[in-house]
Amino acid sequence: MAETKHEEPASTSAKILYRPFGIVSSMAGGLIASAVFKQVYKRVVKGDKPNAPGPLQSEYNLRQILVAAAIQGVIYSVVKAAIDRGGARTFQKWTGEWPGS
């Protein structure tokens, strides 16, 4: 059975120092997720409209809008989790402290 590693609670200074780092990495993650989503959507949904539909675009049916939203949600969640975790690990390597709670 794998042993669970318990992290020490982050100090207040680690949390404060991590904020700008976390904000920048989140912004980068959003840009990356957006680019990945556009490419995935083009390949998954064949047709004459390469851009994903928005919820208020009447030319798309509800199924198309929900499929696009589901794909986008999964991609954003996975990219955000990967970037947040990688950023926290990098912060820990640089400072010796885990930035989380």
Side-chain angles (χ1 to χ4, degrees), residues 6-85:
H6 296 286
E7 300 291 341
E8 292 294 321
S11 67
T12 302
S13 61
K15 288 180 182 180
I16 291 170
L17 288 172
Y18 183 71
R19 280 186 189 154
F21 188 78
I23 290 169
V24 170
S25 66
S26 289
M27 289 171 51
L31 293 172
I32 292 167
S34 180
V36 170
F37 170 66
K38 286 178 184 178
Q39 293 303 311
V40 168
Y41 188 81
K42 281 182 196 177
R43 287 171 176 76
V44 170
V45 180
K46 303 292 184 195
D48 59 339
K49 296 180 181 176
N51 295 324
L56 300 179
Q57 290 179 292
S58 61
E59 64 268 22
Y60 295 94
N61 65 40
L62 181 60
R63 181 183 172 279
Q64 292 170 307
I65 291 169
L66 295 179
V67 167
I71 293 168
Q72 186 177 35
V74 168
I75 290 171
Y76 273 82
S77 294
V78 169
V79 169
K80 181 172 177 13
I83 288 187
D84 286 351
R85 186 62 173 210

